Amino acid sequence: MSTGLFDPDRAGLATLLDGEPRYRLDQVWSGLYEQFAEPADITTLPAPLRDRIAEALPVSLHEERRSVSDGGDTVKFLWRLREGWHPIETVLMYYDDRATVCASTQAGCAMGCGFCATGQAGFTRHLSVGEIVEQVVRAAREARRRNRRIDNVVFMGMGEPLANLEATWGAVERLHGDIGISARHLTISTVGIVPGIRSLAERPLPVNLAVSLHAARNDLRDDLVPINVRYPIEDLLDACGDYLSVKNRRITFEWALIDSVNDTDRDARELADLCVRLRPAAHVNLIPLNPTPGWPTRGSAPGRVAAFRSCLESLGVNATIRRNRGTEIDAACGQLAAGQPVSAPLRRRPDTV
Ligand code: SAH
Ligand code: SF4
């Protein structure tokens, strides 16, 4: 994996511009991170310098396909990485009052959650800082054509951000420091890598933490989210509590509602129990499971979703039902697999229920 346009930090770029007048560095940096321009379009620079930059630092992402749904409000980009066929995806979502980018941190994922299309496809490789940042820049370039700017970035695309923590953190710093997205508009979603959460707690920016819980007892979670065997719920909850006390940020638990698997009143009570043990109580994001080719179980019906939420609220836990975006273009949560064949064997519904 060679260095791409958005990989070097300011000091790295300064080295490349050695011998040029000093103000060139500002011109290049603002061209890339404020105007979201390609080097060829940074017209404040002399043409030979534009060529030199483009040659030394090629773009990392080649747009393979763009799919649009929700009346134009959801755009999914399928990118090919520079070397070989490593497809990754990014989703841009426009809302009335904001625009959000859902970025990938790995090509594939090694965590093996059976209900997730990325997990079904397996792991290819980590993404670099530049490959993560470029997804946001390219989406921002597209948003600008609609006179919109990117307000939020969620690391909820392909891959497990805390399994690629250094590159993810490098991207967080760049998005915060150079694109100007505040920490409270940046969200890292994790399957629950405890050492990663602890390491995040030691870093300066108070980004939001979302934890993909999906089950509040270990036997069921072991089955749905295999990494739970290594980092069981008690340890995970401890790490979340510590993050919360250091950062003073609300923690969100993500819960994909799976028909008759984790959507009963018992599940809601167990989840509420965990939520109120965190102070302030964790917020819950409910999302009916989206269909993926390698997992036969369905998402919960709307009535059950509503009942689950009421049960949580009656126990003092706030829950939001997430509106599904982009299901018909496979851009919804857990559906990102970049058109790869699904390699995991078909799984039966866990028999722990
Ligand atoms: N690896 C990270 C971030 C990427 S997954 C994580 O697991 O948190 C983004 C979110 O989509 C997670 O909350 C994940 O649990 C959820 N998800 C995965 N497959 C899904 C599916 N089929 N339906 C709904 N949500 C799903
Ligand atoms: Fe990986 Fe997250 Fe999918 Fe699990 S849900 S396989 S951690 S991307």
Side-chain angles (χ1 to χ4, degrees):
M1 167 171 69
S2 52
T3 307
L5 183 57
F6 293 92
D7 278 306
D9 57 11
R10 253 184 107 91
L13 198 62
T15 311
L16 181 79
L17 295 178
D18 205 22
E20 296 288 336
R22 277 183 137 178
Y23 58 84
R24 292 284 181 227
L25 178 59
D26 284 334
Q27 288 176 326
V28 177
W29 205 254
S30 93
L32 294 178
Y33 292 98
E34 286 166 28
Q35 290 138 39
F36 307 125
E38 301 212 34
D41 298 329
I42 307 179
T43 47
T44 48
L45 303 177
L49 182 56
R50 286 182 242 165
D51 293 345
R52 183 146 74 82
I53 295 169
E55 198 172 316
L57 297 173
V59 295
S60 298
L61 306 177
H62 297 278
E63 188 173 328
E64 201 67 25
R65 191 165 64 233
R66 189 181 296 204
S67 322
V68 178
S69 72
D70 300 316
D73 284 348
T74 303
V75 183
K76 181 174 84 167
F77 301 89
L78 172 66
W79 315 105
R80 181 168 43 82
L81 298 179
R82 203 158 359 104
E83 90 291 0
W85 168 245
H86 294 325
I88 60 156
E89 293 176 322
T90 307
V91 185
L92 165 61
M93 290 162 285
Y94 297 104
Y95 300 88
D96 289 345
D97 57 341
R98 65 191 194 281
T100 298
V101 173
C102 177
S104 296
T105 54
Q106 298 179 312
C109 182
M111 297 296 141
C113 310
F115 53 83
C116 167
T118 311
Q120 289 158 15
F123 177 72
T124 305
R125 75 160 167 82
H126 293 306
L127 300 187
S128 69
V129 173
E131 288 165 338
I132 301 171
V133 170
E134 190 174 330
Q135 294 172 58
V136 180
V137 169
R138 301 281 287 269
R141 194 180 292 162
E142 169 59 25
R144 178 169 283 205
R145 289 184 26 210
R146 283 174 60 161
N147 274 330
R148 299 287 299 262
R149 59 193 296 279
I150 302 304
D151 302 285
N152 298 293
V153 175
V154 295
F155 297 97
M156 289 189 186
M158 295 168 74
E160 168 49 44
L162 298 189
N164 185 17
L165 180 53
E166 294 317 320
T168 300
W169 191 257
V172 161
E173 288 184 319
R174 197 75 59 79
L175 298 178
H176 174 266
D178 298 298
I179 299 186
I181 301 175
S182 71
R184 64 198 174 83
H185 290 134
L186 296 169
T187 300
I188 292 183
S189 176
T190 178
V191 69
I193 313 279
V194 167
I197 296 174
R198 294 204 174 283
S199 171
L200 265 192
E202 287 165 8
R203 296 172 192 234
L205 297 173
V207 297
N208 298 311
L209 186 64
V211 175
S212 300
L213 201 58
H214 308 310
R217 55 180 190 277
N218 282 318
D219 58 348
L220 179 58
R221 196 164 192 270
D222 284 352
D223 199 24
L224 293 175
V225 179
I227 197 72
N228 191 67
V229 174
R230 186 124 142 238
Y231 306 118
I233 290 172
E234 287 304 320
D235 297 356
L236 179 55
L237 209 69
D238 271 359
C240 291
D242 291 349
Y243 189 83
L244 215 131
S245 60
V246 175
K247 298 292 180 195
N248 216 4
R249 273 262 171 277
R250 187 177 79 171
I251 286 191
T252 304
F253 286 142
E254 307 282 325
W255 193 278
L257 282 161
I258 312 174
D259 184 33
S260 306
V261 172
N262 65 353
D263 66 352
T264 64
D265 285 354
R266 173 191 171 192
D267 294 295
R269 281 194 301 274
E270 288 172 349
L271 169 58
D273 214 44
L274 294 189
C275 289
V276 297
R277 276 164 58 189
L278 293 174
R279 295 258 162 251
H283 185 89
V284 174
N285 258 338
L286 298 173
I287 177 157
L289 186 83
N290 290 310
T292 58
W295 182 260
T297 323
R298 284 176 299 130
S300 307
R304 187 78 298 265
V305 175
F308 194 89
R309 181 196 186 181
S310 305
C311 187
L312 286 176
E313 304 230 307
S314 72
L315 295 166
V317 173
N318 289 327
T320 311
I321 299 173
R322 277 231 304 258
R323 216 195 109 201
N324 244 330
R325 280 296 190 97
T327 27
E328 72 269 34
I329 54 169
D330 285 351
C333 291
Q335 293 188 312
L336 303 183
Q340 286 176 330
V342 172
S343 57
L346 277 185
R347 296 202 27 182
R348 286 185 312 123
R349 172 188 289 187
D351 49 19
T352 44
V353 291

